Amino acid sequence: MKTKPNYDNKRFIHIILILCFALIGSILVSLNLGTLAISPLDFAKTLLGMGSDNQELALFTIRLPRILIAILVGGALAVSGGILQSVTDNDLAEPGILGISTGAALFVVIYIYLTNGNNYYGMATFAIYTMPLVALLGGFVAAALIYILAWKKGVNSTRLLLMGISINAAFSAIIIVAQLSFDNKDFNTILMWTSGSIWGASWSYVVAVAPIIIIITALSVYKSRYLDAFNLGDEMSSGLGVNVERERLVLIVLAVALAGSATSVAGSVSFVGLMAPHIARQLTGPKHKYLLVTAMFIGMILVVVADMIARNAFAPVELHLGIVISIIGVPYFVYLLLKQ
């Protein structure tokens, strides 16, 4: 007897293939665009090692590491947002809005000052490779503070969201005060970075953050079955043999770690973790093993395209990545808020 093909699996594969082509297309366009325009023929020659020194510098030293950072950041924030929306049972939850990213950014700014004085440029290699760990600590401190302050005979999802917005505003104000300790030139650079920017990304940043994001993302997708159980309610989940509190805590830790890692190299980028899971849910449904992977690809495409626009829309002046994302994200947030 023949078994019917799994419709969900086939639909998921088709969606991922389309998103892969879209991601590859956005990467190729981003590699070609910039102050130094590179034609498709010269682009192919440069990839084969036959380009000029300037073309190789632009592609391999400046644009490629920046694009890889954008891919890692977009995927991490999207998966983090998907987890947070499920465990908090709030469709508006995401690391930027809840203040987790801002807490991570605050710790990184303080760390840069303590390890490099008031000079943002020329950071030691040790500081670059330890920044993700510092960002993780800042993210966990922010998450713990939000959870404690939101607790009142349990945690209500609406109270958690409002407390997260309040903590986000408070941390943003502290960051501005901390920035005053930097030189004028570095103040502007730190301000741009904390507003969401991957300007100045290098291979060192890619190597520092890639292993953390890849490993934690894989663990998050592996643990996604527990997110499906949470949708049934705590009592039903416990009846199915799930240790609800333990798994919820593990998933929150994974979400915060992803957000902190992304923030360490891109500053506070909001709304990616909000939009990507919602779009993915419309495409694949509520099953989280499909939803998280789809959201990851959507987040990658969003950040790569947004960074491409930020670099080239008003060149040689560069926009903040966070501003470009917010132009789309704020109306979407308002739309979701009105639906609540």
Side-chain angles (χ1 to χ4, degrees), residues 91-112:
D91 290 342
L92 301 178
E94 74 103 31
I97 295 172
L98 288 179
I100 295 170
S101 296
T102 313
L106 173 61
F107 272 56
V108 169
V109 169
I110 294 172
Y111 182 64
I112 290 173

Side-chain angles (χ1 to χ4, degrees), residues 51-204:
S52 67
D53 290 342
N54 286 339
Q55 289 168 344
E56 290 185 1
L57 177 67
L59 283 182
F60 298 118
T61 305
I62 299 174
R63 295 179 191 172
L64 188 56
R66 179 165 179 159
I67 290 170
L68 290 176
I69 289 289
I71 290 171
L72 291 166
V73 167
L77 292 176
V79 173
S80 177
I83 294 172
L84 289 173
Q85 287 171 17
S86 180
V87 297
T88 63
D89 192 27
N90 193 318
D91 290 342
L92 301 178
E94 74 103 31
I97 295 172
L98 288 179
I100 295 170
S101 296
T102 313
L106 173 61
F107 272 56
V108 169
V109 169
I110 294 172
Y111 182 64
I112 290 173
Y113 182 78
L114 292 177
T115 58
N116 215 51
N118 60 359
N119 182 16
Y120 174 80
Y121 296 95
M123 280 196 299
T125 303
F126 175 79
I128 292 174
Y129 282 100
T130 50
M131 269 204 312
L133 300 178
V134 175
L136 293 184
L137 177 61
F140 286 127
V141 169
L145 185 60
I146 293 164
Y147 190 86
I148 291 169
L149 294 177
W151 179 272
K152 187 179 180 182
K153 297 179 181 179
V155 176
N156 176 274
S157 61
T158 302
R159 189 163 56 246
L160 185 73
L161 178 67
L162 293 175
M163 189 57 66
I165 292 173
S166 301
I167 294 297
N168 187 20
F171 281 168
S172 296
I174 297 172
I175 287 175
I176 293 174
V177 174
Q179 288 169 348
L180 297 175
S181 302
F182 289 85
D183 291 339
N184 290 336
K185 178 182 177 182
D186 294 318
F187 173 86
N188 293 328
T189 303
I190 293 291
L191 177 63
M192 185 175 182
W193 176 78
T194 53
S195 300
S197 173
I198 46 181
W199 179 85
S202 67
W203 287 107
S204 296

Side-chain angles (χ1 to χ4, degrees), residues 69-84 94-95 101 209-210 212-214 216-217 220 254-263 265 269 272-273 276-277 292 295-297 299-300 303:
I69 289 289
I71 290 171
L72 291 166
V73 167
L77 292 176
V79 173
S80 177
I83 294 172
L84 289 173
E94 74 103 31
S101 296
V209 80
I212 299 173
I213 289 178
I214 291 171
I216 297 176
T217 299
S220 299
L254 293 175
V256 172
L258 284 171
S261 300
T263 302
V265 291
V269 179
V272 174
L292 291 185
M296 178 184 70
F297 278 98
M300 291 174 177
V303 177

Side-chain angles (χ1 to χ4, degrees), residues 217-272:
T217 299
L219 284 173
S220 299
V221 174
Y222 173 75
K223 288 280 189 179
S224 63
R225 63 187 185 276
Y226 295 114
L227 295 173
D228 294 329
F230 294 159
N231 288 341
L232 302 174
D234 289 359
E235 290 185 8
M236 184 70 75
S237 299
S238 299
L240 293 173
V242 176
N243 189 328
V244 174
E245 292 304 320
R246 184 188 68 189
E247 297 301 336
R248 181 176 282 124
L249 178 61
V250 169
L251 284 160
I252 290 174
V253 168
L254 293 175
V256 172
L258 284 171
S261 300
T263 302
S264 71
V265 291
S268 299
V269 179
S270 299
F271 300 113
V272 174

